[in-house]
Amino acid sequence: SEAGGGEAGGGEALNGRVLALAVGVGLLAAVAASFYLEIVALGQDLIFTTLPDALGWAAPPLWWYLLALAAGTGLVEAARRLPGSTGAGPLTGFHFDTAPSYAPSILLAALGTIVFGFVLGPEAPLIVLGTTVAAIVLRRADPQVRRLGMLLGGVAAIGAVLGNPFVTAFLVLEFAAMGAVPAAALLPALVALGSGYLLQVGVGGWLGLGTHALTVPGLPAYETVQVVDVAVGVLVAISAGVVAALVRELGVRLDRWGQGGAAARTGSGRGWVLPVIGCAITALAIVVGWIALDIAPELILFSGQGTAMSALIAEGSAGVLLAILLLKGLAFAGALGGGMRGGPIFPATFLGVAVGSLAAVIVTGASVSAMAAVGIAATAAVMTRLPFTSGILALLLVGGAGAAVAPLAIIGAVVGFIIRQWLDRRDREAVAP
């Protein structure tokens, strides 16, 4: 309103204040996000490395993983008793308007989920952390300013884990295209991302808080698009999209059962039913993988970032890859619909790499780098309904192999988005009168 009041400098002053707000909120959210990610890393290292080493084990025994899952489930259940009851689940998308009073419940449940090995990533709790930091700082500001600050804080916080700030920028652009974010917030969001990333990479002699590089190690170079890769890539995109759709559907059905089934009839809502079932599904997956197939639990548990993906790339057995894909998908579905808290992006990309690696083993001549790009983009698009962000994410993860993977990433993103549109249309028709 000041900009439209006729004063020449009014709009510039208003924009200056908004951009200053973006810088400040971006810095604070990035600090909080980096601190939370460090807690997650230290917790995982303590439970699965430091304590087993202290007890004299070269690797934790099977029962140790089961005990960790049970402990994480107990922490999630304890978090449910706090205000907010762990908030919205990972199947409901991203939320930039969560009440600050809900944050302790959500963040505690996310620690119980991510630290103790359940198959979800940190992006959703980071958004809640960023929005909460902004809401606390701007608690006395105008409600419209506070809402903008919460959006900027959530954007800057998720940027701390997505590596390159332009991945998050594309995410915000797609939100704006869908009408979920006002266009006026785009430039402040970019400034918040830039200030947060500056804090991570450092300035001058200061090395910053550190970045979380998103890349799949061990990929062979990919310099030229091959015909076989395009043909096989379409099939991989369909297959990866279907896998992601099935995992999501299983999670949705589990979540609906918990809310409308036996637990609801007792008047307790989910109660303890869904977390226990989610824990049981995850435990079953690692028990089968360990006993029947000699698959390391680390390939089935956790979100699947970093070295887990490189293990998929190096695996030469189609049977082992198929088993990992099925067991990881089962554990992922259990976490999605089992009352756990976290984000779906990184587990989805792991499934995409698994499908791509499987195709490269089966089809002689197909590039594993190209197939991984297709698979990542397809599974991410199904899970997030964001095709542009999914394509950019695939390019960032696999781009080290060469820029020629970009067309394959686009194929995966488009096919995955089409599959997700079909799922959403089917769901709308199912509830229509």
Side-chain angles (χ1 to χ4, degrees), residues 292-324:
L293 303 166
D294 196 28
I295 296 174
E298 289 81 2
L299 289 176
I300 300 172
L301 299 176
F302 307 108
S303 61
Q305 298 164 248
T307 56
M309 288 188 178
S310 63
L312 292 179
I313 298 296
E315 179 60 56
S317 169
V320 172
L321 286 170
L322 181 60
I324 293 173

Side-chain angles (χ1 to χ4, degrees), residues 359-387:
V361 169
I362 294 174
V363 180
T364 303
S367 167
V368 67
S369 299
M371 297 305 101
V374 175
I376 290 171
T379 51
V382 170
M383 285 293 173
T384 66
R385 202 170 56 185
L386 301 172

Side-chain angles (χ1 to χ4, degrees), residues 187-247:
L187 187 60
L190 186 61
V191 172
L193 280 169
S195 62
Y197 195 64
L198 185 64
L199 193 69
Q200 291 181 267
V201 299
V203 180
W206 180 57
L207 300 179
L209 299 177
T211 60
H212 294 265
L214 291 184
T215 183
V216 180
L219 286 170
Y222 190 72
E223 299 176 353
T224 305
V225 177
Q226 303 294 329
V227 175
V228 63
D229 293 329
V230 176
V232 177
V234 173
L235 298 178
V236 169
I238 296 172
S239 301
V242 169
V243 166
L246 290 174
V247 169

Side-chain angles (χ1 to χ4, degrees), residues 89-93 244-261 270 274 281 329-330 332-339 382-383 420 423-424 426-427 430-431:
L91 291 165
T92 62
L246 290 174
V247 169
R248 188 177 187 279
E249 181 67 17
L250 182 57
V252 167
R253 289 180 179 273
L254 177 59
D255 181 69
R256 288 175 180 170
W257 178 86
Q259 295 191 53
R270 288 178 182 169
L274 274 186
I281 292 174
L330 183 64
F332 186 16
L336 280 173
V382 170
M383 285 293 173
R420 177 58 187 268
L423 288 173
D424 292 343
R426 185 206 59 178
D427 291 342
V431 299

